[in-house]
Amino acid sequence: MGGGSAVVRVLRDRTAGRCLAGVVVSGFGTSALWLTAGIWVKSLTGSNSLAALTVFAMWAPVLAGPALGALADRMDRKVLLVRGNLVTAFLLVPLVLVDSGRTVWLLFAVLVLHGASGVVLDAAESALVAGTVPASLLADFNGLRMTANEGMKLVAPLAGAGLYVRFGGPAVALLAAVTCALAALVFARLPVRRSPATADSPPAGSRRDELAAGLRRIRASAVLRPLVTAGAATMLLAGVNGAVTFAYVDEVLGRAPAYAGVLYAVQGAGSVAVGLLAGPLLRRLPERLFAAGGIAVFALGVGARTVSPDTVALAASAAIGFGLPCVLVAAMTAVQRETPDAVLGRTAATAGSLMTAPNAVALALGAGLVAVVDVRVLTAAAGVAGVLVAVVLAAGARRRRDATASPRV
């Protein structure tokens, strides 16, 4: 089966197609709000620190991923997708009251709740898709989902910034609310009568045991553990790379800060491209090798940021965007395929937390390091570390293949 026909089959699958539509619709509003929140806070308070905290506010709930993901194993997942998006839409409406530094607290509170909702909804969607879409198409779906997310990050921030300049922050908040409501309508039309999770969930144990179920599943799996570990290490390096971007533009390229927007756009285009290719590549390569290859491409892109020509800068950004999502797509596809449905929601959320939380930590760490360490040293070190991660992951894949192929005596 060719890659193109697989993509067509994913889009023709009513559940997968409508899930992708919901991702696109809600992702547009979320991406627009993500950028605008920082601009909004900066304009109201004049504080760069508070503006930077808007990103952390939306990232923070990832740390509670196992607890939030458990909701996707306890509730009907279709119902959760519908109600969760509606609740998020209502939460965004009060942001029309944010008009001064005294009311900025409301924006931060809503951003945290919005981030928590995103963790729950992502887990519910991953679990629902895994139970309804053929296993052979999961990699294609996850790749297309990556393409949809990255495509929205290219388009939505520009639309959000334009709307903010013309009508102010409340208009962007209302746009995000409308997109969440529309996503709820899309998910309401999913051709799924009820989620199997509510029927198949095991008897409830202690709360602590339930929350740890996803982590135990990942640690015990010879397939999931190395992929999630490599994903966490790669996202740590991605956080350092993201933290030094503006210093790289200034000190290495000698460009104005706005040039970072060009690099981000090229990086996003690379991520869109790999999302389209992920399914076909994962049918030809083992997941570990696909992930290791992507990490190596990402690492080479980061390492190339030690030199100054614009052509190298653009190529490096494309390589970073192309390589970084590979391990995330491979890991999430493996989670969907390897995990029993009854604990799939919390396992998906736990894997997401383990892989994305290091990014938030590294953003803060990198911001401090760039003040005392030359940016070329940081990018070179991150590039070397990324290559080592790729080598270790690929070597593990080879050892496992050799062990599987060896005849038993």
Side-chain angles (χ1 to χ4, degrees):
M1 180 178 62
S5 62
V7 170
V8 171
R9 286 178 59 194
V10 170
L11 295 177
R12 285 181 176 175
D13 184 283
R14 294 174 66 196
T15 300
R18 287 178 182 172
C19 275
L20 284 172
V23 168
V24 170
V25 172
S26 62
F28 185 88
T30 297
S31 296
L33 183 63
W34 187 290
L35 171 70
T36 306
I39 302 173
W40 196 356
V41 169
K42 169 67 174 176
S43 66
L44 292 177
T45 66
S47 170
N48 289 321
S49 298
L50 287 177
L53 279 176
T54 58
V55 177
F56 178 76
M58 293 189 76
W59 272 94
V62 169
L63 300 175
L68 295 172
L71 294 174
D73 294 328
R74 289 182 166 275
M75 296 179 60
D76 183 287
R77 288 155 183 166
K78 174 181 174 179
V79 172
L80 185 56
L81 285 169
V82 175
R83 293 181 180 175
N85 274 285
L86 286 176
V87 168
T88 304
F90 282 115
L91 286 173
L92 289 166
V93 173
L95 291 184
V96 300
L97 302 175
V98 177
D99 58 0
S100 68
R102 291 176 300 175
T103 53
V104 160
W105 68 268
L106 179 59
L107 176 57
F108 280 102
V110 171
L111 289 176
V112 170
L113 293 173
H114 191 295
S117 171
V119 174
V120 175
L121 296 178
D122 283 348
E125 182 200 324
S126 294
L128 186 145
V129 167
T132 55
V133 175
S136 61
L137 295 180
L138 284 177
D140 294 279
F141 174 85
N142 289 325
L144 288 175
R145 190 181 189 281
M146 178 68 67
T147 295
N149 275 328
E150 294 302 321
M152 288 303 98
K153 290 178 183 178
L154 290 175
V155 177
L158 295 175
L163 194 63
Y164 177 84
V165 170
R166 182 67 179 86
F167 299 105
V172 181
L174 290 178
L175 170 66
V178 169
T179 59
C180 286
L182 291 176
L185 292 177
V186 172
F187 289 126
R189 293 177 59 81
L190 286 175
V192 180
R193 292 185 178 180
R194 66 186 298 271
S195 302
T198 53
D200 298 340
S201 294
S206 72
R207 186 67 173 170
R208 183 176 180 179
D209 287 344
E210 288 184 50
L211 296 183
L215 182 59
R216 287 198 303 270
R217 189 77 196 176
I218 293 169
R219 290 179 60 185
S221 172
V223 175
L224 302 183
R225 187 178 62 253
L227 284 171
V228 173
T229 301
T234 305
M235 291 302 290
L236 181 74
L237 300 175
V240 174
N241 175 68
V244 305
T245 294
F246 286 102
Y248 164 68
V249 169
D250 178 28
E251 299 174 17
V252 179
L253 300 182
R255 291 275 195 164
Y259 191 69
V262 176
L263 299 183
Y264 280 129
V266 173
Q267 181 174 325
S271 296
V272 168
V274 79
L276 295 173
L277 296 173
L281 288 174
L282 276 170
R283 279 191 292 278
R284 291 167 173 79
L285 296 171
E287 284 159 346
R288 282 202 209 182
L289 287 181
F290 171 74
I295 295 169
V297 171
F298 159 78
L300 292 174
V302 174
R305 288 188 158 183
T306 57
V307 295
S308 58
D310 283 354
T311 52
V312 175
L314 295 173
S317 293
I320 291 168
F322 189 93
L324 180 58
C326 292
V327 66
L328 304 179
V329 172
M332 194 50 64
T333 301
V335 167
Q336 291 171 323
R337 192 188 64 248
E338 298 285 330
T339 308
D341 184 81
V343 293
L344 181 51
R346 70 198 77 181
T347 303
T350 300
S353 294
L354 292 174
M355 290 190 291
T356 55
N359 186 264
V361 173
L363 283 169
L365 178 64
L369 286 175
V370 77
V372 295
V373 181
D374 188 282
V375 64
R376 294 174 181 85
V377 174
L378 292 174
T379 55
V384 171
V387 170
L388 290 176
V389 172
V391 169
V392 170
L393 187 61
R398 182 175 181 178
R399 285 196 301 270
R400 188 178 182 198
R401 184 178 67 247
D402 291 344
T404 303
S406 298
R408 293 179 180 272
V409 179

